[in-house]
Amino acid sequence: MKQTLFAQQQQSVKTDPRIKMFTRLLVLYWLLCAFEWFIAIGRIFTGVGPIDALGQFSFLFFFNTFGPPVLWTAAAILYMFIVRIWKRFDLKRQAAAQGDQSMLAIEQPRPDAQALSLPLTIRMRSNRRLQLTVMATLFLSLMLPFIGGFAFGLLGNPTHPLYLEVWFIIIGVWALFALVLVGIMYLLLYIKGREQVTLTDYGIMLSGVTPRIHSIPWSEARLFAIVNPYSPKRGRDRQPLLLEVASEHELVRWVWLRPTSPRSGFIVPVLPPEEYEQQMRNVLSVIAAKTGLPLYDLRKR
């Protein structure tokens, strides 16, 4: 019994780091909820609440006061379920690393250590135009609810002298926060776009703009898998593949843009489509030969 448990522990792989990231985002969601409820309570105490200047209930004022905190609370609760889904997905990774045959990929790569001349680096480049467009859209989407609430409030003809001052402060603080958030996301996309995966005779490694290098010797690899978290059967052949080689303490991931995948993603291959497709197939063959591991497909339910 102890030997079996020891063998299973030896086959376990590093926990998906996205779980930690999404858990931190969940905490951020709840902080935003607290901030929104603080603003709502502040509006009530300053007289800019669901009761208008005539002392009558106003649905418009009620929506402006309680609408944002209720929506953020609902979003945070929904995000709790998303974090739970990611944790369940990591259990699939662990099961595959322990040899769950039900998740083997239908199409297995043909092991061939000579399919590529090593060392080889899979080179990609960032789509800067798309990244900037998405960041600008995200910033506007973060600002519109506050600007809309301010505009609706003006339509209600608020008479409280602190109304404009409070709203200008709120919008200014939120705009600064949105800029910081968008800047961080753009920085993360930039760092991700500069990552490069290199295969050598001794192992596989991931390097980028940071000095840290994620390296896995072939002998320590415990999982070779397709790790797309959400992949419905309909349109699956158009989705890029997210591939992973993982050990007990490290993991290396890279994207394979299939021929039918949209070519307007955040990162695009440097090679022409035909050369890139052949290179990626050869990469799978080399990994299969070097690690002796089968390819698992975690898109299976």
Side-chain angles (χ1 to χ4, degrees), residues 30-60:
W30 283 115
L31 290 176
L32 288 172
C33 288
F35 175 74
E36 290 290 349
W37 282 110
F38 174 78
I39 295 299
I41 295 173
R43 285 169 61 89
I44 294 175
F45 279 103
T46 56
V48 190
I51 307 299
D52 61 17
L54 301 177
Q56 298 177 347
F57 177 82
S58 170
F59 178 78
L60 180 62

Side-chain angles (χ1 to χ4, degrees), residues 263-301:
R263 292 285 167 166
S264 58
F266 289 115
I267 56 174
V268 292
V270 175
L271 294 176
E274 295 78 10
E275 293 183 30
Y276 170 74
E277 182 72 11
Q278 186 59 47
Q279 182 190 70
M280 296 306 296
R281 291 188 179 278
N282 291 339
V283 164
L284 299 189
S285 296
V286 170
I287 294 175
K290 292 288 188 179
T291 63
L293 296 172
L295 178 65
Y296 289 89
D297 189 348
L298 303 191
R299 297 175 298 177
K300 291 184 176 182
R301 295 188 180 276

Side-chain angles (χ1 to χ4, degrees), residues 139-151:
F139 178 77
L140 290 176
S141 66
L142 290 172
M143 293 302 301
L144 282 177
F146 285 86
I147 297 175
F150 177 70

Side-chain angles (χ1 to χ4, degrees), residues 196-224:
Q196 293 184 339
V197 173
T198 301
L199 282 69
T200 70
D201 288 324
Y202 307 101
I204 184 171
M205 61 182 179
L206 176 68
S207 59
V209 296
T210 60
R212 183 180 179 183
I213 296 177
H214 301 269
S215 179
I216 301 176
W218 297 124
S219 60
E220 296 181 9
R222 296 291 179 268
L223 177 64
F224 176 31

